[in-house]
Amino acid sequence: MRTYRVRGRTYHPTYVKVGDTMTGISSWYGPNFHGKMTSNGEQYDMHAHTAAHKTWPMDTMVRVENLQNGKSTVVRINDRGPFVAGRVIDCSYAAGKELGLDKTGIAKVKLTVLGFAGKIYRPSAEQKRDHAAPPSVHLSDFGVQVGAFRRRIGAEITRRKYTTITRTPKHVIIREFTVGGLPLYRVWVMGFGSAEEAKDFIADRGITGGFLIRP
């Protein structure tokens, strides 16, 4: 969620909530980037359903709807871009193919936020009865991702490190995801009461690549 600068332009990552939308042009990227590092430290897998967005939080789940042919797909943001005027999202090859971008190259799309931390928000029966508002990364119980590893041993070492230096009531956990058909172990420090508290933790600890999450 740090401000960054590309090609002389400054970008300010922003918080979003479930249901937020955006329209614009989508493109796709594939073989030339396959296996290279994404902005959140993962290896880009053109066969996975991921995407690059300039400002929305990493691991935000997004539905992408092609407004020109009605096709849609769901992606997880794990990269920054596309840095081309007018374009709002850069889909992986697999996601782009589902949208028909492999034939047209670009298309006008509508983006809708579905969830965070790699999960799609599905309200419980109680929440539906209470007409509860969907979660937003502005709400309480924030976390900070402090690392992501392909091997669990790396995640365990990082978990022990932050367990030692982090005061209660914070707790450090490891969550396992499947990305590109392989396990990815994310280390989260949980229990922050606000976005500001979580950002202060990132700044105070000098956590390179650390960013806010809300499961």
Side-chain angles (χ1 to χ4, degrees):
M1 298 301 292
R2 294 178 178 176
T3 296
Y4 64 99
R5 191 172 180 84
V6 174
R7 298 177 185 175
R9 183 173 178 180
T10 301
Y11 297 90
H12 303 279
T14 57
Y15 300 113
V16 292
K17 63 181 183 297
V18 170
D20 281 356
T21 62
M22 177 182 290
T23 58
I25 300 298
S26 174
S27 49
W28 67 276
Y29 61 134
N32 291 339
F33 297 90
H34 187 66
K36 294 183 179 180
M37 201 73 72
T38 63
S39 297
N40 74 343
E42 298 176 8
Q43 278 192 325
Y44 172 62
D45 181 356
M46 70 179 192
H47 303 296
H49 280 65
T50 58
H53 193 284
K54 292 186 283 289
T55 58
W56 283 1
M58 293 294 178
D59 286 329
T60 298
M61 300 298 292
V62 179
R63 180 174 64 245
V64 185
E65 179 185 359
N66 187 332
L67 298 178
Q68 296 175 203
N69 61 16
K71 295 181 178 181
S72 66
T73 190
V74 175
V75 298
R76 177 178 60 87
I77 294 173
N78 73 339
D79 206 358
R80 289 299 183 214
F83 302 110
V84 177
R87 298 187 188 180
V88 297
I89 196 166
D90 211 2
C91 294
S92 66
Y93 169 75
K97 188 175 178 66
E98 284 194 5
L99 294 169
L101 298 179
D102 59 322
K103 297 179 180 179
T104 62
I106 60 174
K108 186 174 182 180
V109 298
K110 177 182 178 181
L111 311 181
T112 305
V113 176
L114 300 180
F116 305 105
K119 297 179 181 180
I120 295 176
Y121 171 68
R122 294 184 175 87
S124 65
E126 181 179 354
Q127 287 174 317
K128 289 179 180 178
R129 286 196 302 270
D130 295 339
H131 303 286
S136 160
V137 293
H138 289 293
L139 302 182
S140 61
D141 195 27
F142 281 89
V144 171
Q145 179 165 307
V146 295
F149 304 86
R150 285 296 186 185
R151 298 180 62 188
R152 188 175 181 92
I153 184 63
E156 291 286 358
I157 292 171
T158 301
R159 183 187 65 80
R160 289 196 293 269
K161 170 187 173 182
Y162 281 93
T163 298
T164 300
I165 67 175
T166 304
R167 297 180 180 178
T168 56
K170 309 299 183 294
H171 49 282
V172 188
I173 61 176
I174 296 174
R175 287 289 178 86
E176 182 178 350
F177 296 83
T178 300
V179 178
L182 297 172
L184 183 71
Y185 302 97
R186 304 178 187 275
V187 185
W188 295 348
V189 180
M190 300 301 301
F192 299 95
S194 68
E196 289 71 24
E197 183 184 357
K199 287 191 289 185
D200 286 344
F201 178 81
I202 294 172
D204 292 344
R205 300 293 180 183
I207 304 172
T208 302
F211 58 88
L212 305 182
I213 60 168
R214 188 178 188 278

Short mmCIF file of all heavy atoms in Angstrom, two decimals, residues 49-114:
data_model
loop_
_atom_site.label_atom_id
_atom_site.label_comp_id
_atom_site.label_asym_id
_atom_site.label_seq_id
_atom_site.Cartn_x
_atom_site.Cartn_y
_atom_site.Cartn_z
N HIS A 49 -5.28 -17.33 -12.42
CA HIS A 49 -6.24 -16.21 -12.58
C HIS A 49 -5.83 -15.05 -11.67
O HIS A 49 -6.34 -14.90 -10.55
CB HIS A 49 -7.66 -16.69 -12.27
CG HIS A 49 -8.28 -17.41 -13.41
ND1 HIS A 49 -7.80 -18.62 -13.87
CD2 HIS A 49 -9.34 -17.10 -14.22
CE1 HIS A 49 -8.54 -19.02 -14.89
NE2 HIS A 49 -9.47 -18.11 -15.13
N THR A 50 -4.88 -14.27 -12.15
CA THR A 50 -4.38 -13.11 -11.41
C THR A 50 -4.44 -11.89 -12.32
O THR A 50 -4.78 -11.98 -13.50
CB THR A 50 -2.93 -13.34 -10.94
OG1 THR A 50 -2.10 -13.59 -12.09
CG2 THR A 50 -2.86 -14.52 -9.98
N ALA A 51 -4.09 -10.74 -11.74
CA ALA A 51 -4.13 -9.51 -12.53
C ALA A 51 -3.28 -8.43 -11.87
O ALA A 51 -2.95 -8.51 -10.69
CB ALA A 51 -5.56 -9.02 -12.69
N ALA A 52 -2.97 -7.41 -12.66
CA ALA A 52 -2.25 -6.23 -12.17
C ALA A 52 -3.21 -5.05 -12.13
O ALA A 52 -3.98 -4.84 -13.07
CB ALA A 52 -1.07 -5.91 -13.09
N HIS A 53 -3.18 -4.32 -11.02
CA HIS A 53 -4.00 -3.11 -10.86
C HIS A 53 -3.11 -2.05 -10.24
O HIS A 53 -2.27 -2.35 -9.39
CB HIS A 53 -5.21 -3.40 -9.97
CG HIS A 53 -6.25 -2.32 -10.00
ND1 HIS A 53 -6.09 -1.12 -9.34
CD2 HIS A 53 -7.46 -2.26 -10.61
CE1 HIS A 53 -7.17 -0.37 -9.54
NE2 HIS A 53 -8.01 -1.03 -10.31
N LYS A 54 -3.28 -0.81 -10.64
CA LYS A 54 -2.37 0.24 -10.19
C LYS A 54 -2.55 0.61 -8.72
O LYS A 54 -1.58 0.98 -8.06
CB LYS A 54 -2.53 1.49 -11.07
CG LYS A 54 -2.04 1.29 -12.50
CD LYS A 54 -2.08 2.59 -13.29
CE LYS A 54 -3.48 2.94 -13.74
NZ LYS A 54 -3.97 2.04 -14.81
N THR A 55 -3.78 0.53 -8.18
CA THR A 55 -4.00 1.08 -6.84
C THR A 55 -4.76 0.18 -5.87
O THR A 55 -4.68 0.40 -4.67
CB THR A 55 -4.76 2.42 -6.93
OG1 THR A 55 -6.01 2.20 -7.60
CG2 THR A 55 -3.95 3.47 -7.67
N TRP A 56 -5.50 -0.80 -6.33
CA TRP A 56 -6.27 -1.62 -5.39
C TRP A 56 -5.35 -2.53 -4.60
O TRP A 56 -4.28 -2.92 -5.10
CB TRP A 56 -7.32 -2.42 -6.13
CG TRP A 56 -8.51 -1.59 -6.53
CD1 TRP A 56 -8.68 -0.25 -6.30
CD2 TRP A 56 -9.70 -2.04 -7.21
NE1 TRP A 56 -9.90 0.16 -6.81
CE2 TRP A 56 -10.54 -0.90 -7.36
CE3 TRP A 56 -10.13 -3.26 -7.70
CZ2 TRP A 56 -11.79 -0.98 -7.99
CZ3 TRP A 56 -11.36 -3.34 -8.33
CH2 TRP A 56 -12.18 -2.21 -8.46
N PRO A 57 -5.71 -2.88 -3.35
CA PRO A 57 -4.81 -3.67 -2.49
C PRO A 57 -4.47 -5.04 -3.08
O PRO A 57 -5.28 -5.65 -3.78
CB PRO A 57 -5.64 -3.83 -1.20
CG PRO A 57 -6.59 -2.68 -1.21
CD PRO A 57 -6.94 -2.46 -2.65
N MET A 58 -3.27 -5.50 -2.76
CA MET A 58 -2.86 -6.84 -3.16
C MET A 58 -3.81 -7.88 -2.55
O MET A 58 -4.29 -7.72 -1.43
CB MET A 58 -1.43 -7.12 -2.72
CG MET A 58 -0.39 -6.28 -3.43
SD MET A 58 -0.31 -6.70 -5.19
CE MET A 58 0.93 -5.50 -5.73
N ASP A 59 -4.03 -8.94 -3.30
CA ASP A 59 -4.89 -10.07 -2.89
C ASP A 59 -6.37 -9.71 -2.89
O ASP A 59 -7.19 -10.46 -2.36
CB ASP A 59 -4.48 -10.65 -1.54
CG ASP A 59 -3.21 -11.47 -1.64
OD1 ASP A 59 -2.97 -12.07 -2.70
OD2 ASP A 59 -2.45 -11.51 -0.65
N THR A 60 -6.74 -8.54 -3.43
CA THR A 60 -8.15 -8.23 -3.61
C THR A 60 -8.72 -9.15 -4.70
O THR A 60 -8.09 -9.34 -5.75
CB THR A 60 -8.34 -6.76 -4.03
OG1 THR A 60 -7.84 -5.91 -3.00
CG2 THR A 60 -9.81 -6.43 -4.27
N MET A 61 -9.89 -9.72 -4.44
CA MET A 61 -10.56 -10.57 -5.42
C MET A 61 -11.50 -9.71 -6.25
O MET A 61 -12.30 -8.94 -5.68
CB MET A 61 -11.33 -11.69 -4.72
CG MET A 61 -10.44 -12.60 -3.87
SD MET A 61 -9.18 -13.47 -4.86
CE MET A 61 -10.23 -14.58 -5.82
N VAL A 62 -11.41 -9.82 -7.55
CA VAL A 62 -12.12 -8.92 -8.46
C VAL A 62 -12.82 -9.71 -9.57
O VAL A 62 -12.21 -10.59 -10.18
CB VAL A 62 -11.14 -7.91 -9.10
CG1 VAL A 62 -11.88 -6.99 -10.05
CG2 VAL A 62 -10.42 -7.12 -8.02
N ARG A 63 -14.08 -9.38 -9.80
CA ARG A 63 -14.75 -9.90 -10.99
C ARG A 63 -14.51 -8.93 -12.14
O ARG A 63 -14.73 -7.73 -12.00
CB ARG A 63 -16.25 -10.08 -10.77
CG ARG A 63 -16.98 -10.64 -12.02
CD ARG A 63 -18.43 -10.97 -11.81
NE ARG A 63 -19.22 -9.79 -11.51
CZ ARG A 63 -19.84 -9.58 -10.35
NH1 ARG A 63 -19.73 -10.46 -9.36
NH2 ARG A 63 -20.54 -8.48 -10.16
N VAL A 64 -14.06 -9.47 -13.27
CA VAL A 64 -13.81 -8.66 -14.46
C VAL A 64 -14.85 -9.06 -15.50
O VAL A 64 -14.91 -10.23 -15.90
CB VAL A 64 -12.39 -8.89 -15.01
CG1 VAL A 64 -12.12 -7.95 -16.18
CG2 VAL A 64 -11.35 -8.71 -13.91
N GLU A 65 -15.66 -8.12 -15.94
CA GLU A 65 -16.70 -8.39 -16.93
C GLU A 65 -16.38 -7.64 -18.22
O GLU A 65 -16.20 -6.41 -18.21
CB GLU A 65 -18.05 -7.93 -16.41
CG GLU A 65 -19.19 -8.16 -17.40
CD GLU A 65 -20.52 -7.61 -16.91
OE1 GLU A 65 -20.56 -7.05 -15.79
OE2 GLU A 65 -21.51 -7.73 -17.65
N ASN A 66 -16.28 -8.38 -19.30
CA ASN A 66 -16.05 -7.79 -20.61
C ASN A 66 -17.37 -7.20 -21.10
O ASN A 66 -18.31 -7.93 -21.42
CB ASN A 66 -15.54 -8.86 -21.58
CG ASN A 66 -15.12 -8.27 -22.92
OD1 ASN A 66 -15.64 -7.24 -23.35
ND2 ASN A 66 -14.21 -8.94 -23.60
N LEU A 67 -17.45 -5.89 -21.16
CA LEU A 67 -18.69 -5.22 -21.54
C LEU A 67 -18.99 -5.31 -23.03
O LEU A 67 -20.08 -4.94 -23.47
CB LEU A 67 -18.63 -3.75 -21.11
CG LEU A 67 -18.50 -3.51 -19.60
CD1 LEU A 67 -18.39 -2.02 -19.31
CD2 LEU A 67 -19.68 -4.12 -18.85
N GLN A 68 -18.03 -5.85 -23.78
CA GLN A 68 -18.23 -5.95 -25.23
C GLN A 68 -18.78 -7.31 -25.65
O GLN A 68 -19.36 -7.43 -26.73
CB GLN A 68 -16.90 -5.65 -25.94
CG GLN A 68 -16.41 -4.23 -25.71
CD GLN A 68 -15.04 -3.96 -26.30
OE1 GLN A 68 -14.35 -3.05 -25.87
NE2 GLN A 68 -14.63 -4.72 -27.31
N ASN A 69 -18.58 -8.34 -24.81
CA ASN A 69 -19.11 -9.66 -25.19
C ASN A 69 -19.84 -10.37 -24.04
O ASN A 69 -20.34 -11.49 -24.23
CB ASN A 69 -17.98 -10.57 -25.73
CG ASN A 69 -16.89 -10.82 -24.69
OD1 ASN A 69 -17.06 -10.59 -23.50
ND2 ASN A 69 -15.74 -11.29 -25.16
N GLY A 70 -19.89 -9.76 -22.86
CA GLY A 70 -20.64 -10.33 -21.74
C GLY A 70 -19.89 -11.39 -20.95
O GLY A 70 -20.41 -11.88 -19.95
N LYS A 71 -18.68 -11.74 -21.37
CA LYS A 71 -17.92 -12.77 -20.66
C LYS A 71 -17.33 -12.18 -19.37
O LYS A 71 -17.05 -10.98 -19.30
CB LYS A 71 -16.79 -13.32 -21.53
CG LYS A 71 -17.30 -14.07 -22.76
CD LYS A 71 -16.14 -14.63 -23.57
CE LYS A 71 -16.65 -15.41 -24.77
NZ LYS A 71 -15.53 -15.99 -25.58
N SER A 72 -17.13 -13.04 -18.35
CA SER A 72 -16.56 -12.55 -17.09
C SER A 72 -15.68 -13.62 -16.47
O SER A 72 -15.78 -14.81 -16.80
CB SER A 72 -17.66 -12.14 -16.12
OG SER A 72 -18.41 -13.27 -15.71
N THR A 73 -14.83 -13.19 -15.56
CA THR A 73 -13.97 -14.10 -14.82
C THR A 73 -13.60 -13.44 -13.50
O THR A 73 -13.86 -12.25 -13.30
CB THR A 73 -12.70 -14.45 -15.63
OG1 THR A 73 -11.99 -15.53 -14.99
CG2 THR A 73 -11.76 -13.25 -15.74
N VAL A 74 -12.99 -14.21 -12.59
CA VAL A 74 -12.58 -13.69 -11.29
C VAL A 74 -11.06 -13.80 -11.18
O VAL A 74 -10.48 -14.84 -11.50
CB VAL A 74 -13.24 -14.46 -10.14
CG1 VAL A 74 -12.71 -13.99 -8.78
CG2 VAL A 74 -14.76 -14.29 -10.19
N VAL A 75 -10.42 -12.73 -10.73
CA VAL A 75 -8.96 -12.70 -10.61
C VAL A 75 -8.56 -12.22 -9.22
O VAL A 75 -9.34 -11.61 -8.50
CB VAL A 75 -8.33 -11.78 -11.67
CG1 VAL A 75 -8.62 -12.28 -13.07
CG2 VAL A 75 -8.82 -10.34 -11.50
N ARG A 76 -7.32 -12.52 -8.87
CA ARG A 76 -6.73 -12.02 -7.62
C ARG A 76 -5.61 -11.06 -7.99
O ARG A 76 -4.72 -11.40 -8.78
CB ARG A 76 -6.16 -13.18 -6.79
CG ARG A 76 -5.47 -12.74 -5.50
CD ARG A 76 -4.98 -13.96 -4.71
NE ARG A 76 -4.04 -14.76 -5.48
CZ ARG A 76 -2.73 -14.54 -5.53
NH1 ARG A 76 -2.18 -13.53 -4.86
NH2 ARG A 76 -1.95 -15.33 -6.24
N ILE A 77 -5.63 -9.87 -7.43
CA ILE A 77 -4.60 -8.88 -7.74
C ILE A 77 -3.30 -9.24 -7.03
O ILE A 77 -3.28 -9.39 -5.81
CB ILE A 77 -5.05 -7.47 -7.33
CG1 ILE A 77 -6.25 -7.03 -8.19
CG2 ILE A 77 -3.91 -6.46 -7.47
CD1 ILE A 77 -6.86 -5.73 -7.76
N ASN A 78 -2.24 -9.40 -7.80
CA ASN A 78 -0.93 -9.69 -7.21
C ASN A 78 0.20 -8.90 -7.85
O ASN A 78 1.37 -9.19 -7.64
CB ASN A 78 -0.63 -11.19 -7.28
CG ASN A 78 -0.30 -11.66 -8.69
OD1 ASN A 78 -0.65 -11.01 -9.68
ND2 ASN A 78 0.38 -12.79 -8.80
N ASP A 79 -0.19 -7.88 -8.65
CA ASP A 79 0.84 -7.12 -9.36
C ASP A 79 0.35 -5.69 -9.57
O ASP A 79 -0.83 -5.39 -9.40
CB ASP A 79 1.11 -7.78 -10.72
CG ASP A 79 2.51 -7.51 -11.25
OD1 ASP A 79 3.27 -6.77 -10.58
OD2 ASP A 79 2.85 -8.04 -12.31
N ARG A 80 1.28 -4.79 -9.90
CA ARG A 80 0.95 -3.40 -10.20
C ARG A 80 1.01 -3.17 -11.71
O ARG A 80 1.84 -3.73 -12.41
CB ARG A 80 1.89 -2.45 -9.46
CG ARG A 80 1.68 -2.41 -7.96
CD ARG A 80 0.31 -1.94 -7.61
NE ARG A 80 0.08 -1.82 -6.16
CZ ARG A 80 -1.08 -2.07 -5.59
NH1 ARG A 80 -2.12 -2.46 -6.32
NH2 ARG A 80 -1.24 -1.92 -4.30
N GLY A 81 0.15 -2.28 -12.19
CA GLY A 81 0.06 -1.98 -13.60
C GLY A 81 -1.41 -2.00 -14.00
O GLY A 81 -2.26 -2.12 -13.13
N PRO A 82 -1.75 -1.88 -15.26
CA PRO A 82 -0.87 -1.57 -16.40
C PRO A 82 -0.59 -0.07 -16.47
O PRO A 82 -1.48 0.74 -16.21
CB PRO A 82 -1.70 -2.02 -17.60
CG PRO A 82 -3.13 -1.83 -17.15
CD PRO A 82 -3.14 -2.10 -15.68
N PHE A 83 0.63 0.28 -16.80
CA PHE A 83 1.02 1.69 -16.82
C PHE A 83 0.87 2.28 -18.23
O PHE A 83 1.82 2.80 -18.81
CB PHE A 83 2.44 1.83 -16.28
CG PHE A 83 2.58 1.28 -14.89
CD1 PHE A 83 3.28 0.12 -14.65
CD2 PHE A 83 1.95 1.91 -13.82
CE1 PHE A 83 3.38 -0.39 -13.36
CE2 PHE A 83 2.04 1.41 -12.53
CZ PHE A 83 2.76 0.25 -12.30
N VAL A 84 -0.36 2.14 -18.74
CA VAL A 84 -0.73 2.68 -20.04
C VAL A 84 -1.99 3.51 -19.85
O VAL A 84 -2.93 3.07 -19.17
CB VAL A 84 -1.00 1.54 -21.06
CG1 VAL A 84 -1.45 2.12 -22.39
CG2 VAL A 84 0.25 0.68 -21.24
N ALA A 85 -2.02 4.69 -20.38
CA ALA A 85 -3.16 5.60 -20.19
C ALA A 85 -4.47 4.93 -20.58
O ALA A 85 -4.57 4.31 -21.65
CB ALA A 85 -2.95 6.86 -21.01
N GLY A 86 -5.46 5.04 -19.70
CA GLY A 86 -6.78 4.53 -19.98
C GLY A 86 -7.02 3.10 -19.58
O GLY A 86 -8.17 2.65 -19.51
N ARG A 87 -5.98 2.34 -19.30
CA ARG A 87 -6.14 0.94 -18.92
C ARG A 87 -6.23 0.81 -17.40
O ARG A 87 -5.44 1.42 -16.68
CB ARG A 87 -5.00 0.09 -19.48
CG ARG A 87 -4.96 0.10 -20.99
CD ARG A 87 -3.94 -0.87 -21.54
NE ARG A 87 -3.80 -0.71 -22.99
CZ ARG A 87 -2.98 -1.43 -23.74
NH1 ARG A 87 -2.24 -2.37 -23.19
NH2 ARG A 87 -2.91 -1.21 -25.05
N VAL A 88 -7.17 -0.01 -16.93
CA VAL A 88 -7.40 -0.13 -15.49
C VAL A 88 -6.93 -1.45 -14.91
O VAL A 88 -6.71 -1.56 -13.70
CB VAL A 88 -8.89 0.09 -15.14
CG1 VAL A 88 -9.32 1.49 -15.51
CG2 VAL A 88 -9.77 -0.96 -15.82
N ILE A 89 -6.77 -2.48 -15.75
CA ILE A 89 -6.35 -3.79 -15.24
C ILE A 89 -5.64 -4.55 -16.34
O ILE A 89 -5.94 -4.39 -17.54
CB ILE A 89 -7.56 -4.60 -14.71
CG1 ILE A 89 -7.11 -5.77 -13.83
CG2 ILE A 89 -8.46 -5.08 -15.85
CD1 ILE A 89 -8.23 -6.39 -13.01
N ASP A 90 -4.67 -5.34 -15.94
CA ASP A 90 -3.90 -6.18 -16.85
C ASP A 90 -4.10 -7.62 -16.39
O ASP A 90 -3.56 -8.01 -15.34
CB ASP A 90 -2.43 -5.77 -16.79
CG ASP A 90 -1.71 -5.97 -18.12
OD1 ASP A 90 -2.36 -6.40 -19.09
OD2 ASP A 90 -0.51 -5.70 -18.18
N CYS A 91 -4.86 -8.40 -17.12
CA CYS A 91 -5.19 -9.77 -16.70
C CYS A 91 -4.10 -10.76 -17.12
O CYS A 91 -3.39 -10.55 -18.11
CB CYS A 91 -6.52 -10.19 -17.33
SG CYS A 91 -7.95 -9.28 -16.73
N SER A 92 -4.01 -11.85 -16.38
CA SER A 92 -3.13 -12.93 -16.79
C SER A 92 -3.64 -13.53 -18.10
O SER A 92 -4.78 -13.30 -18.51
CB SER A 92 -3.11 -14.02 -15.71
OG SER A 92 -4.39 -14.64 -15.61
N TYR A 93 -2.80 -14.34 -18.73
CA TYR A 93 -3.21 -14.96 -20.00
C TYR A 93 -4.47 -15.80 -19.82
O TYR A 93 -5.41 -15.72 -20.63
CB TYR A 93 -2.08 -15.82 -20.55
CG TYR A 93 -2.52 -16.70 -21.70
CD1 TYR A 93 -2.74 -16.15 -22.97
CD2 TYR A 93 -2.75 -18.06 -21.51
CE1 TYR A 93 -3.17 -16.96 -24.02
CE2 TYR A 93 -3.18 -18.87 -22.55
CZ TYR A 93 -3.39 -18.31 -23.81
OH TYR A 93 -3.82 -19.09 -24.83
N ALA A 94 -4.52 -16.61 -18.74
CA ALA A 94 -5.67 -17.48 -18.52
C ALA A 94 -6.95 -16.68 -18.35
O ALA A 94 -7.99 -17.00 -18.94
CB ALA A 94 -5.43 -18.36 -17.29
N ALA A 95 -6.88 -15.62 -17.53
CA ALA A 95 -8.06 -14.79 -17.31
C ALA A 95 -8.43 -14.03 -18.58
O ALA A 95 -9.61 -13.91 -18.93
CB ALA A 95 -7.81 -13.81 -16.17
N GLY A 96 -7.43 -13.52 -19.28
CA GLY A 96 -7.68 -12.80 -20.51
C GLY A 96 -8.33 -13.67 -21.57
O GLY A 96 -9.20 -13.22 -22.31
N LYS A 97 -7.92 -14.93 -21.62
CA LYS A 97 -8.50 -15.86 -22.59
C LYS A 97 -9.97 -16.08 -22.29
O LYS A 97 -10.80 -16.15 -23.22
CB LYS A 97 -7.74 -17.18 -22.56
CG LYS A 97 -8.13 -18.16 -23.66
CD LYS A 97 -7.25 -19.39 -23.61
CE LYS A 97 -7.67 -20.39 -24.68
NZ LYS A 97 -7.43 -19.88 -26.05
N GLU A 98 -10.32 -16.20 -21.00
CA GLU A 98 -11.73 -16.38 -20.64
C GLU A 98 -12.57 -15.18 -21.04
O GLU A 98 -13.76 -15.30 -21.36
CB GLU A 98 -11.87 -16.63 -19.13
CG GLU A 98 -11.46 -18.02 -18.71
CD GLU A 98 -11.91 -18.35 -17.30
OE1 GLU A 98 -12.63 -17.53 -16.69
OE2 GLU A 98 -11.56 -19.43 -16.81
N LEU A 99 -11.94 -14.01 -21.03
CA LEU A 99 -12.65 -12.78 -21.39
C LEU A 99 -12.67 -12.52 -22.89
O LEU A 99 -13.36 -11.61 -23.36
CB LEU A 99 -12.00 -11.59 -20.69
CG LEU A 99 -12.10 -11.56 -19.17
CD1 LEU A 99 -11.18 -10.47 -18.60
CD2 LEU A 99 -13.54 -11.33 -18.73
N GLY A 100 -11.89 -13.29 -23.63
CA GLY A 100 -11.79 -13.08 -25.07
C GLY A 100 -10.72 -12.09 -25.46
O GLY A 100 -10.64 -11.67 -26.63
N LEU A 101 -9.86 -11.71 -24.50
CA LEU A 101 -8.82 -10.72 -24.81
C LEU A 101 -7.71 -11.30 -25.67
O LEU A 101 -6.95 -10.54 -26.28
CB LEU A 101 -8.22 -10.18 -23.50
CG LEU A 101 -9.17 -9.44 -22.56
CD1 LEU A 101 -8.43 -9.00 -21.32
CD2 LEU A 101 -9.81 -8.25 -23.26
N ASP A 102 -7.59 -12.62 -25.70
CA ASP A 102 -6.56 -13.23 -26.54
C ASP A 102 -6.84 -12.97 -28.02
O ASP A 102 -5.93 -13.05 -28.85
CB ASP A 102 -6.47 -14.73 -26.27
CG ASP A 102 -7.79 -15.46 -26.53
OD1 ASP A 102 -8.85 -14.90 -26.22
OD2 ASP A 102 -7.74 -16.60 -27.03
N LYS A 103 -8.10 -12.64 -28.32
CA LYS A 103 -8.47 -12.37 -29.72
C LYS A 103 -8.50 -10.87 -30.02
O LYS A 103 -8.14 -10.44 -31.11
CB LYS A 103 -9.83 -12.99 -30.02
CG LYS A 103 -9.85 -14.51 -29.90
CD LYS A 103 -11.23 -15.06 -30.18
CE LYS A 103 -11.25 -16.59 -30.06
NZ LYS A 103 -12.61 -17.15 -30.30
N THR A 104 -8.95 -10.08 -29.04
CA THR A 104 -9.11 -8.63 -29.28
C THR A 104 -7.96 -7.80 -28.75
O THR A 104 -7.80 -6.65 -29.13
CB THR A 104 -10.42 -8.13 -28.65
OG1 THR A 104 -10.36 -8.33 -27.22
CG2 THR A 104 -11.62 -8.88 -29.21
N GLY A 105 -7.17 -8.36 -27.81
CA GLY A 105 -6.06 -7.61 -27.22
C GLY A 105 -6.49 -6.77 -26.04
O GLY A 105 -5.94 -6.88 -24.96
N ILE A 106 -7.47 -5.91 -26.24
CA ILE A 106 -8.00 -5.08 -25.18
C ILE A 106 -9.53 -5.06 -25.29
O ILE A 106 -10.09 -5.43 -26.33
CB ILE A 106 -7.46 -3.63 -25.23
CG1 ILE A 106 -7.84 -2.97 -26.56
CG2 ILE A 106 -5.95 -3.61 -25.00
CD1 ILE A 106 -7.47 -1.49 -26.62
N ALA A 107 -10.18 -4.64 -24.21
CA ALA A 107 -11.64 -4.52 -24.23
C ALA A 107 -12.08 -3.63 -23.07
O ALA A 107 -11.37 -3.50 -22.06
CB ALA A 107 -12.31 -5.89 -24.11
N LYS A 108 -13.26 -3.03 -23.22
CA LYS A 108 -13.82 -2.26 -22.11
C LYS A 108 -14.40 -3.22 -21.10
O LYS A 108 -15.16 -4.13 -21.45
CB LYS A 108 -14.89 -1.29 -22.62
CG LYS A 108 -15.40 -0.35 -21.53
CD LYS A 108 -16.36 0.69 -22.07
CE LYS A 108 -16.81 1.64 -20.96
NZ LYS A 108 -17.74 2.67 -21.46
N VAL A 109 -14.06 -3.02 -19.82
CA VAL A 109 -14.49 -3.94 -18.77
C VAL A 109 -15.06 -3.20 -17.57
O VAL A 109 -14.84 -1.99 -17.40
CB VAL A 109 -13.32 -4.83 -18.29
CG1 VAL A 109 -12.79 -5.70 -19.42
CG2 VAL A 109 -12.20 -3.97 -17.69
N LYS A 110 -15.77 -3.94 -16.76
CA LYS A 110 -16.24 -3.45 -15.46
C LYS A 110 -15.61 -4.32 -14.39
O LYS A 110 -15.68 -5.55 -14.45
CB LYS A 110 -17.77 -3.52 -15.36
CG LYS A 110 -18.31 -3.09 -14.01
CD LYS A 110 -19.83 -3.23 -13.95
CE LYS A 110 -20.37 -2.85 -12.57
NZ LYS A 110 -21.86 -3.01 -12.51
N LEU A 111 -15.00 -3.69 -13.39
CA LEU A 111 -14.39 -4.40 -12.27
C LEU A 111 -15.28 -4.27 -11.05
O LEU A 111 -15.82 -3.20 -10.77
CB LEU A 111 -13.01 -3.82 -11.94
CG LEU A 111 -12.03 -3.60 -13.10
CD1 LEU A 111 -10.72 -3.07 -12.56
CD2 LEU A 111 -11.82 -4.88 -13.88
N THR A 112 -15.45 -5.36 -10.31
CA THR A 112 -16.23 -5.35 -9.08
C THR A 112 -15.46 -6.06 -7.99
O THR A 112 -15.01 -7.20 -8.18
CB THR A 112 -17.59 -6.06 -9.26
OG1 THR A 112 -18.30 -5.47 -10.35
CG2 THR A 112 -18.44 -5.95 -7.99
N VAL A 113 -15.27 -5.41 -6.84
CA VAL A 113 -14.56 -6.01 -5.72
C VAL A 113 -15.42 -7.09 -5.08
O VAL A 113 -16.56 -6.85 -4.68
CB VAL A 113 -14.19 -4.94 -4.67
CG1 VAL A 113 -13.53 -5.60 -3.46
CG2 VAL A 113 -13.28 -3.89 -5.27
N LEU A 114 -14.86 -8.31 -4.96
CA LEU A 114 -15.59 -9.44 -4.38
C LEU A 114 -15.09 -9.85 -3.00
O LEU A 114 -15.82 -10.51 -2.25
CB LEU A 114 -15.48 -10.66 -5.31
CG LEU A 114 -16.03 -10.50 -6.73
CD1 LEU A 114 -15.83 -11.81 -7.49
CD2 LEU A 114 -17.50 -10.12 -6.70
#
